[in-house]
């Protein structure tokens, strides 16, 4: 069997190695347009910043290894220029020698990945304006970052944008990030990234939201960057990273079915509309695991698994891709944010019914040194409690909680299941009631109707209306005085039972505390005393993340 | 409703708080024999060692808080001496005043916990021989550890034993641990704790396995400790921690059904044989989540959840305990070990069919600085692939992997599911193929029959037999020369295809490498070339953990 794989990173490399293990006799050829197969894409920003010192560390599977160990015919600097489905062969252009030839296949795997979106900005093709998609980009950026540069401008505050920003700061370069959206990490929920934006500012990064770059101009040894807002920035170089699109040109030219967004369509065995051609990785449309809707979710883990599945299937083994959950994580400076499943934004966009809650527990037992607070947002079906998504932000223990909830989603668990799950507990690692259990308790209380909640945005809106809720702050007077929701009255939860007579009857009450726990207890007290009450989910902490005012 | 709770820590405290939230009007009384309700049991060793500096941090829910916030009638230093099920009342002895009285109940919750097993050792009742079950014990131990003590002897190498040992070393005290079993952490699988035993030795702890204490004698200001092996140790004090047993005296005296081991029997709502009496926490027999057999599993998380469930049920809500998985973790010095589900020992003891595999990946991408190796052992049903248990040992990222697998067990997932799960990946947090995926890949290969494995103990045994397997080391010559399995021949995997003619036909081949990955590839090559081959699971690394010889 002749297996040809186009693209030698992540999905392509996984497919090749798996295909070899299952087919010792197959002829497996991997064409890689770039000079390196299987480099550590996700490590590039850290090489630029010097966190990863040795460039060779990024070459995770050197070509010699692939050839010797897996007997793969890896051809780098070889671009496949077209696919002839009729003749079952691809046309190859050797970029090093100029040679052109045809290569026949029995089974073809497209792992062409995604390309950077290139915004059309006057002056944007200058030498000092870079992207960061491959090792050559990293080499260029590394050189600039270590050649005395003092100032850089990043366009785009996605994963790569903020990872690069962190790494340029590591090189003592002043960084300005320009982002068109009104938040960093645009696909994430805004209130979850707001603590991060503050952290970026504390680290000296100049964050320009709702802005864009109108023009780059050469300016002596550097750049003059003109923003839409009217400001002008000076910089030694700029990095543009505003997203990716599927690199599906070959597939389209070959007449393979693609989505309107350009993603190659496959079945669950990763077969395209031509059953002898598979497609894997960032180039394909996947099923979103939660919604079952099609989505473009460029992530390394899914790409690797898809490569494996394609190799299984062409080796006549049943193997099906289950869809992508979108589990992802980004760390910068002292903060980490991670998510799995749907975001609230995504659920709203797809008009899927959901409820949400916020908890702000510590990552491990508060009595053990080094506990850091975290914020966990859980999205779930308001009737069944099915877990739809989660986001978590903080310093430590973030990856663990999202991995646990990723498992819950994978297993189709509900918030009632999260109440019961049994996780590791010793004081340096967690709590007897882990943050995941806590989120389960709160969400299950909401679904059961024991714990009516209101959200900060609703509250901010409803406050303006006539006959609005009484807002009851159940924290201590000292906490109340240090910052509170305008118009709130203060009765500490520990005094509430004795002071119920101070509350007006017949008026809805919104209760809140710092994180929602005392508010929950107060809500239970009020409900059992014939008041109509609900609790502000996540308390004043979430209020501040959402509404942004008040003191910290 | 009158709710009486006996025991104010973990399960009792959780039940009380939950009962209050659901029953604002209930009269809830908590009797606690000791001076403190709800102290941080799991923090005691760290207070002794000074890692937790302030004693008050251990009082996680001070009595005033429980009274004011939850309106609980908490009576400390009050021992319940008997239960009159007919009259539905308990007899109380106030240890502070000597007063005795009866307290009626509608619903009673037993949360009496577990007591230390007291081995009968001559001289064992001296002042310098301590346990560590409560805050008063911790106070005594803290005082000894900070009063110039130089040498201590620990009897018992369970969780508490090794946590205390670490903390005494933190106080610059020389520690000897004496343990009857042939390993530390006796319920765990031996090869998983063997790297820890080495670590303890590196940290200067004198570990005496397969030994016991025969006698304590006063010796000036210290102790003379005579061991069964004949050795005599001098010490300033000794700590005895050889396990716990259910504190079910009250329950038995009241005629409640108990197991032979002394655990109180309950249904899934935590009701005892008297439906108005619940029991929760370390005092009860639980269903093991995996085997559905009864077990005594004293852990804080399950105790808390059981308390919650009892409170739910007596508030007429349906709520059922699902059984205990035994998810647990212990960290000491620079190492962590965690487990969930069944151990191999447990499976063997219960004659449950299983298979196992070992992987030794890094906790995060190897190209990012700070990656630490870990060892993950996965136990599963050899036919269905159902995950039965896992153990993980290493430095970092251990809790996360066991939490993820705890979720898999909770959800009834198989090793095929572990192949597909989608976890967080950025280079500082994991790998595109997480260690959990890796374990899934290997285990699924075994279940599918693609990847026949043999285990170190079998190999060590079969080596001695006539017509034994050819042992083929597929590592590099340099690795081979630095230590190998006696009798092995060496053909590096990268040369194997060219050197197949060197292998005798008709003889079974056991392949191994360092961790099992090259061995897997070599096994695939051999199988597809008509050889009979299997791979040593976990490679030479597991061989060393099991058999112990060879160089590192």
């Amino acid at each position: 069997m002749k297996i040809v794989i186009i693209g030698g990173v992540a999905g392509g490399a996984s497919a090749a190695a798996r295909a070899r293990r299952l087919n010792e006799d197959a002829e497996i050829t991997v064409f890689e347009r770039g000079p390196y197969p299987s480099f550590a894409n996700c490590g590039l920003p850290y090489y630029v910043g010097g966190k990863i010192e040795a460039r060779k560390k990024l070459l995770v599977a050197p070509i010699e290894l692939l050839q010797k160990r897996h007997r793969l015919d890896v051809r780098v600097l070889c671009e496949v220029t077209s696919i002839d489905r009729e003749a079952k062969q691809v046309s190859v252009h050797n970029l090093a020698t100029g040679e052109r030839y045809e290569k026949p296949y029995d089974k073809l795997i497209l792992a062409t990945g995604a390309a950077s979106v290139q915004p059309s900005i006057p002056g944007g093709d200058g030498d000092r304006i870079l992207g960061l998609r491959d090792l050559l980009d990293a080499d260029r950026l590394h050189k600039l970052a270590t050649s005395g540069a003092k100032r850089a401008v990043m366009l785009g505050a996605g994963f790569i944008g903020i990872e690069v920003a962190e790494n340029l700061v590591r090189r003592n370069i002043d960084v300005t990030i320009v982002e068109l959206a009104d938040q960093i990490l645009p696909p994430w929920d805004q209130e979850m990234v707001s603590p991060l934006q503050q952290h970026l500012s504390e680290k000296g990064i100049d964050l320009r939201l709702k802005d864009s770059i109108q023009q780059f101009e050469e300016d002596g040894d550097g750049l003059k960057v003109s923003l839409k807002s009217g400001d002008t920035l000076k910089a030694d170089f700029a990095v543009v990273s505003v997203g990716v699109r599927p690199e599906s040109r070959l597939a389209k030219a070959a007449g393979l079915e693609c989505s309107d967004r350009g993603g190659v369509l496959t079945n669950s065995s990763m077969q395209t509309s031509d059953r002898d051609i598979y497609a894997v990785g960032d180039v394909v449309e996947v099923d979103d695991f939660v919604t079952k809707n099609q989505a473009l979710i460029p992530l390394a883990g899914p790409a690797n698994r898809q490569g494996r599945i394609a190799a299984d299937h062409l080796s006549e083994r049943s193997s099906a891709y289950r869809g992508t959950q979108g589990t992802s994580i980004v760390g910068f400076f002292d903060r980490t944010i991670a998510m799995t499943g749907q975001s609230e934004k995504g659920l709203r966009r797809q008009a899927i019914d959901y409820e949400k809650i916020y908890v702000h527990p510590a990552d491990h037992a508060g009595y053990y040194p080094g506990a850091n607070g975290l914020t966990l947002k859980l999205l779930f079906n308001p009737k069944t409690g099915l877990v739809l998504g989660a986001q978590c932000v903080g310093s430590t223990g973030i990856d663990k909680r999202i991995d646990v909830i990723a498992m819950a989603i994978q297993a189709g668990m509900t918030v009632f299941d999260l109440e019961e799950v049994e996780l590791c507990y010793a004081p340096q690692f967690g709590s007897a009631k882990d943050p995941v259990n806590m989120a389960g308790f709160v969400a299950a209380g909401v679904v059961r109707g024991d714990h009516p909640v209101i959200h900060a945005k609703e509250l901010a809106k409803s406050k303006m209306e006539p006959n609005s809720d009484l807002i009851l702050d159940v924290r201590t007077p000292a906490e109340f005085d240090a910052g509170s929701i305008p118009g709130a009255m203060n009765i500490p939860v520990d005094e509430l039972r004795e002071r119920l007579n101070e509350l007006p009857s017949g008026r809805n009450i919104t209760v809140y505390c710092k994180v929602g726990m005392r508010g929950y207890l107060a809500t239970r007290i009020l409900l059992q005393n014939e008041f109509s009450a609900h609790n502000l989910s996540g308390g004043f902490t979430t209020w501040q993340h959402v509404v942004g005012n008040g003191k910290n």
Side-chain angles (χ1 to χ4, degrees), chain A:
Chain A
M1 180 161 54
K2 290 187 179 63
I3 302 170
V4 168
I5 300 173
I6 309 176
V9 186
S14 286
R18 177 74 174 162
R20 169 57 70 227
R21 285 194 299 272
L22 297 180
N23 307 279
E24 185 60 17
D25 297 327
E27 180 197 298
I28 305 175
T29 311
V30 180
F31 292 106
E32 168 58 41
R33 186 170 55 181
Y36 306 102
S38 205
F39 63 90
N41 221 326
C42 303
L44 300 181
Y46 303 95
Y47 171 64
V48 169
K51 182 84 187 176
I52 298 172
E53 287 181 42
R55 183 179 183 279
K56 68 167 191 273
K57 287 226 169 200
L58 298 173
L59 303 171
V60 287
I63 191 162
E64 299 73 23
L65 181 97
L66 296 174
Q67 288 171 339
K68 272 194 184 165
R69 186 159 301 166
H70 299 290
R71 201 179 260 181
L72 302 175
D73 181 356
V74 180
R75 306 188 188 179
V76 296
L77 294 171
C78 284
E79 181 168 14
V80 173
T81 54
S82 68
I83 302 166
D84 183 342
R85 289 166 52 193
E86 200 69 29
K88 294 186 79 173
Q89 61 184 22
V90 298
S91 301
V92 182
H93 179 204
N94 185 324
L95 303 176
T97 64
E99 184 195 2
R100 289 177 185 272
Y101 58 94
E102 314 301 316
K103 176 77 189 174
Y105 65 81
D106 297 310
K107 301 288 178 185
L108 177 66
I109 300 178
L110 292 176
T112 44
S116 298
V117 171
Q118 296 293 349
S120 142
I121 301 170
D125 54 356
D127 284 347
R128 293 179 167 272
I129 297 144
L130 293 81
L132 184 57
R133 286 293 296 165
D134 61 27
L135 207 44
L136 298 183
D137 289 339
D139 287 338
R140 293 173 63 207
L141 195 49
H142 186 277
K143 192 173 171 196
L144 277 171
T146 54
S147 304
K150 296 268 178 279
R151 289 170 302 186
V153 171
M154 297 287 319
L155 178 61
F159 282 168
I160 295 175
I162 58 180
E163 285 176 352
V164 170
E166 179 198 12
N167 279 288
L168 295 179
V169 169
R170 198 168 266 148
R171 295 284 191 193
N172 291 312
I173 294 171
D174 288 338
V175 177
T176 301
I177 303 181
V178 181
E179 166 60 52
L180 190 61
D182 56 356
Q183 63 170 85
I184 63 167
L185 297 170
W188 297 54
D189 293 336
Q190 190 162 25
E191 77 284 9
M192 298 302 287
V193 303
S194 82
L196 298 179
Q197 292 175 184
Q198 189 175 338
H199 189 62
L200 285 179
S201 298
E202 287 161 10
K203 293 292 176 179
I205 289 176
D206 180 13
L207 188 58
R208 308 289 186 103
L209 299 175
K210 294 189 267 189
D211 207 345
S212 60
I213 294 176
Q214 287 207 308
Q215 185 174 271
F216 291 107
E217 290 167 276
E218 298 276 335
D219 180 33
D221 284 347
L223 285 174
K224 201 172 90 178
V225 184
S226 305
L227 303 188
K228 193 175 174 199
S229 58
D231 278 5
T232 301
L233 307 171
K234 288 187 177 286
D236 296 301
F237 63 93
V239 182
V240 174
S241 174
V242 296
V244 296
R245 53 169 182 72
E247 181 72 281
S248 55
R249 198 181 40 78
L250 267 180
K252 278 181 199 157
L256 299 175
E257 280 179 31
C258 293
S259 71
D260 292 345
R261 286 175 296 209
V264 178
L265 297 175
T266 72
N267 62 15
S268 66
S269 304
M270 308 314 298
Q271 287 172 298
T272 67
S273 52
D274 180 331
R275 295 308 187 221
D276 290 322
I277 305 181
Y278 296 79
V280 302
D282 295 359
V283 76
V284 301
E285 289 276 346
V286 293
D287 283 352
D288 180 282
F289 187 87
V290 174
T291 65
K292 311 301 172 200
N293 294 332
Q294 278 182 357
L296 289 169
I297 307 177
L299 288 168
N304 279 287
R305 287 201 304 286
Q306 291 159 19
R308 193 179 160 88
I309 286 165
D312 278 350
H313 192 265
L314 63 77
S315 310
E316 298 183 353
R317 284 155 181 263
S318 66
S319 189
Y321 189 62
R322 299 178 176 185
T324 299
Q325 283 177 236
T327 307
S328 51
I329 188 165
V330 57
F332 50 97
F333 301 110
D334 312 323
R335 295 289 183 280
T336 300
I337 187 164
M339 75 177 290
T340 187
Q342 286 287 311
S343 64
E344 184 176 359
K345 271 182 188 169
L347 292 168
R348 290 172 75 98
R349 194 169 50 231
Q350 296 165 90
I352 293 169
D353 199 19
Y354 70 91
E355 181 51 284
K356 62 178 174 178
I357 58 97
Y358 301 87
V359 292
H360 307 279
D363 67 328
H364 67 238
Y367 63 80
Y368 191 89
N372 293 307
L374 59 81
T375 292
L376 177 57
K377 176 182 187 175
L378 188 68
L379 295 148
F380 50 95
N381 181 301
K383 293 187 190 72
T384 65
L386 184 74
V387 179
L388 302 174
Q391 293 177 39
C392 191
V393 60
S395 299
T396 44
I398 306 305
D399 51 338
K400 179 164 78 169
R401 272 59 187 227
I402 289 300
D403 277 353
V404 164
I405 298 177
M407 294 296 287
I409 291 175
Q410 184 75 212
M413 283 181 168
T414 66
V415 298
F416 308 111
D417 293 312
L418 296 189
E419 292 189 293
E420 301 301 323
V421 298
E422 188 182 320
L423 304 173
C424 292
Y425 166 53
Q428 60 277 56
F429 302 103
S431 294
K433 292 166 186 161
D434 191 86
V436 173
N437 295 124
M438 294 298 300
F441 294 147
V442 175
V446 172
V447 177
R448 288 191 191 105
D450 289 338
H451 185 180
V453 288
I454 186 171
H455 296 292
K457 211 173 259 180
E458 293 169 64
L459 178 61
K461 208 174 184 182
S462 71
K463 262 166 55 71
M464 306 306 161
E465 291 165 11
N467 304 317
S468 65
D469 283 13
L470 172 76
I471 303 178
L472 179 63
D473 185 322
V474 297
R475 297 176 301 163
T476 63
E479 289 175 280
F480 183 75
D481 291 344
S484 62
I485 297 177
M489 77 179 281
N490 179 223
I491 302 180
V493 64
D494 293 351
E495 300 170 15
L496 183 59
R497 291 183 182 92
E498 284 69 40
R499 294 174 61 183
L500 290 173
N501 58 352
E502 295 177 32
L503 297 170
S505 61
R507 193 168 165 203
N508 286 328
I509 301 175
T510 288
V511 178
Y512 78 93
C513 63
K514 186 179 173 196
V515 297
M517 285 185 67
R518 284 172 289 175
Y520 167 44
L521 179 60
T523 302
R524 293 298 308 159
I525 294 171
L526 292 171
L527 289 173
Q528 293 180 71
N529 281 282
E530 312 301 329
F531 288 90
S532 165
H534 37 222
N535 185 25
L536 176 63
S537 185
F540 192 57
T541 305
T542 292
W543 173 269
Q544 288 176 302
H545 293 165
V546 172
V547 182
N549 60 8
K551 301 171 198 169
N552 270 301

